[in-house]
Amino acid sequence: MTLTQLRYLIAIADAGLNITLAAERVHATQPGLSKLLRQLEDELGFQLFHRKGRSLHAITHAGTQVLERARTILAEAANIRSIAANLRNEAHGTLRIATTHTQARFALPSAVAALSRSYPQVSVHLQPVSDSDVISLLEGGLVDLAIVSTTAGAPPPSGIALPAYRWNRIVVAPHDHPLARRNRPPTLEQLAAQPLISYDSSLKPESSLTRAFHAASLQPQIAMTASDADLIKTYVREGLGIGVLAEMAFQPEHDTDLRQLNADHLFAPCITWIVLRKESVLREYALDFISVFAPHLERRAVSNALATAGVGTANWPGVPHWRERRVPGKVVEQVVDAH
């Protein structure tokens, strides 16, 4: 039995038993992954998955028990490596981050660049995925930390969640759109009368966008959804509807053909979280990255949260808003059009 076999086993489970997807996530071939799985089952003497033809159908009872132990073994192996590297004062390695497209494209570049300047021998591997996949990659031990947003204000249900910043949604429309020509922010009634383009997560019942419309007894017309904010803006430009997206995804210097409209009064604010695995040992450069990305999270407090499995860290003071957030070398001063 090898750590690689256990890593592949977890990858298969976290990919919804899709071997092709699991192979992509662990940078292996599908035949190679299947071969190691069969070897592991032969060694154990029982099947870890129920099969239907050539496809995996479900995890067996025995497989569930093995998976639980495998996660613990891999997590502790990673911790041992981190402890050894920190004791040797190593300044090289890989920082693996699972996040969404919006965070990877608009929120992370300056922090990643600052880390690269401080640790030129550290490579950063960003894995932009959908909201629902971010935490599963962290739980499976495939990444060192996750960066994800919640719209209800509560932290993600698993791991140690550290609040990075608060943010709001904005509405974007072409300059010649009737809502863009008005001298006041739009109302929910006006938005409900328009075809909307927003994130895939907007279709979920817990989405603050969905809840806002339902609370006003309105039904939004979702014309299109996408996981990528740039795609949302592209289809707004094509006239499919008006966009509802995260405020950090609007760049006034580039999106000159669109107008942003304030929606703070329409939708509940969201929080972006840095999520860590409980009882994980982070490399020094990972702790430095957190300090750069979210300066209000003191390094000692983060280390204490890891040591205590997050106990007593539910209320972090001074969580900044995106518009007031400090990033390496500058202060973000993004003004949202109130008209």
Side-chain angles (χ1 to χ4, degrees):
M1 185 186 304
T2 66
L3 293 179
T4 298
Q5 287 175 318
L6 298 183
R7 186 163 63 92
Y8 286 3
L9 172 65
I10 293 171
I12 293 171
D14 290 343
L17 310 190
N18 185 324
I19 292 184
T20 301
L21 177 58
E24 291 176 357
R25 289 181 174 179
V26 296
H27 308 291
T29 65
Q30 181 178 340
L33 191 149
S34 298
K35 180 181 178 181
L36 286 184
L37 173 60
R38 288 194 300 270
Q39 291 175 346
L40 179 59
E41 289 182 323
D42 289 343
E43 178 181 347
L44 296 175
F46 52 78
Q47 287 193 334
L48 299 168
F49 300 97
H50 295 295
R51 289 166 170 81
K52 275 191 176 181
R54 295 184 178 181
S55 301
L56 303 182
H57 175 61
I59 304 173
T60 65
H61 177 68
T64 300
Q65 298 181 66
V66 172
L67 273 166
E68 181 181 353
R69 299 295 180 182
R71 292 185 192 278
T72 300
I73 291 170
L74 285 183
E76 286 306 310
N79 284 343
I80 291 172
R81 294 191 188 99
S82 293
I83 290 171
N86 287 340
L87 290 174
R88 293 193 299 264
N89 294 317
E90 288 185 358
H92 60 83
T94 301
L95 178 62
R96 303 165 301 165
I97 304 173
T99 188
T100 61
H101 291 82
T102 295
Q103 299 298 324
R105 169 73 174 81
F106 301 103
L108 285 171
S110 58
V112 171
L115 179 72
S116 180
R117 290 191 294 269
S118 299
Y119 295 89
Q121 292 183 296
V122 171
S123 62
V124 178
H125 177 60
L126 284 182
Q127 199 155 345
V129 293
S130 64
D131 288 323
S132 58
D133 290 333
V134 171
I135 299 301
S136 66
L137 290 176
L138 179 70
E139 292 176 338
L142 299 178
V143 295
D144 302 300
L145 57 89
I147 298 177
V148 67
S149 297
T150 60
T151 59
S158 61
I160 300 171
L162 315 175
Y165 62 90
R166 297 174 290 114
W167 56 272
N168 289 79
R169 284 184 169 89
I170 60 170
V171 174
V172 295
H175 285 283
D176 59 354
H177 192 279
L179 288 181
R181 295 199 301 263
R182 296 174 62 91
N183 292 323
R184 53 184 179 276
T187 65
L188 277 178
E189 289 77 9
Q190 291 168 340
L191 293 186
Q194 300 287 333
L196 302 180
I197 306 173
S198 192
Y199 298 106
D200 295 334
S201 58
S202 298
L203 298 175
K204 297 179 179 179
E206 65 269 21
S207 166
S208 60
L209 183 146
T210 300
R211 289 187 285 110
F213 280 105
H214 287 177
S217 300
L218 296 170
Q219 183 64 40
Q221 302 178 45
I222 305 295
M224 180 181 174
T225 64
S227 60
D228 189 325
D230 283 325
L231 282 177
I232 293 174
K233 290 184 287 187
T234 294
Y235 285 94
V236 169
R237 293 181 173 105
E238 291 297 324
L240 268 71
I242 59 175
V244 183
L245 68 161
E247 61 181 312
M248 61 285 248
F250 186 85
Q251 298 178 300
E253 66 276 19
H254 299 300
D255 300 322
T256 56
D257 56 335
L258 299 176
R259 183 172 179 182
Q260 60 172 332
L261 307 175
N262 190 299
D264 291 2
H265 59 299
L266 301 180
F267 307 115
C270 307
I271 298 178
T272 292
W273 304 86
I274 303 168
V275 189
L276 311 173
R277 286 193 308 277
K278 291 184 177 180
E279 300 178 355
S280 62
V281 177
L282 290 184
R283 295 289 302 275
E284 293 297 320
Y285 55 73
L287 290 169
D288 283 347
F289 172 81
I290 293 173
S291 298
V292 171
F293 184 64
H296 66 285
L297 298 174
E298 295 183 355
R299 186 187 178 103
R300 181 178 298 178
V302 173
S303 298
N304 181 64
L306 285 167
T308 60
V311 176
T313 60
N315 298 313
W316 289 84
V319 181
H321 195 278
W322 171 257
R323 300 165 202 168
E324 306 162 347
R325 176 173 167 267
R326 291 187 175 274
V327 295
K330 63 179 180 179
V331 177
V332 173
E333 294 180 347
Q334 188 173 16
V335 179
V336 177
D337 190 347
H339 299 296

